[in-house]
Amino acid sequence: MRWLKDNGLTIALLSLFAICIVGQWISGWHVALEDARRHAQPGLSLFAYAASPQFLSSVFENWESEFLQMAAYVVLTAFLIQHGSAESKDPADPDRDANLERQAYQPGAPAILRKGPVWRALYARSLGLALALLFVASFVMHWVHSARAAADEALEHGEAPLSVLAYLGDAQLWFESFQNWQSEFLSTAVLVVLSIFLRQRESPESKAVAAPNRQTGE
């Protein structure tokens, strides 16, 4: 029970993720079956659809935008502020991560901080780097599977399919990406601004309910 309590947020989010991706898989399969029926073609089995470029392209298309949003948010909040927002650091506060060489020897500090300046510099930026790498990996998977889906569609219409490399310059790929990217940046901006005036009791993403609007940070 203690383990469940200590990891409740991750468990809840991953459970919701599992429910939603299974829902996407099954509902997408039914859409694909209907499309195949309209074209008088045999439909894929449920498990064959899970490995299809149509399904994988849609999955990685969404992951890509989420990791881009998180990477941008983590990096930009290190440098930029929004006065009054719970999502911004307070510029009046001292630098939390100043003099990491000295802080490396504080009790409980990660051992990697004591391995030299290069490792300290990498670890000090590791969250942003990891999210950026996840974005790049998701974008590549979206690109490759979207190219394969487009090639299948072109062959169905008797057209010459684009190569994976040529598809990188295709408007469809960038339409799919930008339609997700813009919504992620908008939702993040809305959260930053709303957290100035609105509250969510006991949430670390919100200021204290009684905190003044002008207060910046949690």
Side-chain angles (χ1 to χ4, degrees), residues 17-199:
F17 162 75
I19 292 168
C20 290
I21 198 166
V22 169
Q24 179 187 358
W25 173 30
I26 295 174
S27 59
W29 175 57
H30 283 287
V31 171
L33 287 178
E34 179 62 23
D35 186 61
R37 186 192 63 79
R38 288 198 304 268
H39 291 84
Q41 296 174 341
L44 295 173
S45 70
L46 180 61
F47 289 100
Y49 175 72
S52 69
Q54 290 81 6
F55 176 68
L56 293 175
S57 173
S58 67
V59 168
F60 288 109
E61 176 186 338
N62 285 284
W63 290 12
E64 152 200 323
S65 62
E66 298 298 336
F67 289 129
L68 174 63
Q69 176 202 37
M70 288 292 98
Y73 178 70
V74 166
V75 173
L76 291 177
T77 52
F79 303 101
L80 304 177
I81 66 163
Q82 174 56 58
H83 181 72
S85 175
E87 300 297 315
S88 170
K89 64 181 180 180
D90 189 335
D93 290 341
D95 289 342
R96 182 187 61 188
D97 297 318
N99 199 347
L100 287 176
E101 184 175 5
R102 178 177 56 80
Q103 292 193 54
Y105 293 92
Q106 292 180 351
I112 193 172
L113 294 176
R114 297 187 288 276
K115 292 185 180 296
V118 174
W119 285 107
R120 271 197 302 275
L122 285 173
Y123 186 71
R125 297 162 179 82
S126 56
L127 179 57
L129 288 171
L131 290 168
L133 288 173
L134 287 168
F135 160 68
V136 171
S138 298
F139 177 80
V140 170
M141 295 299 288
H142 167 215
W143 163 31
V144 169
H145 289 294
S146 186
R148 290 174 178 169
D152 290 345
E153 185 176 357
L155 290 172
E156 289 175 6
H157 292 85
E159 301 171 352
L162 294 175
S163 68
V164 172
L165 185 60
Y167 190 74
L168 186 59
D170 192 85
Q172 179 64 31
L173 173 66
W174 296 103
F175 171 73
E176 292 170 355
S177 292
F178 283 124
Q179 70 175 337
N180 286 290
W181 297 358
Q182 54 86 14
S183 64
E184 299 299 339
F185 289 128
L186 175 62
S187 65
T188 305
V190 168
L191 175 62
V192 167
V193 173
L194 289 183
S195 71
I196 300 173
F197 309 103
L198 305 180
R199 309 287 188 268

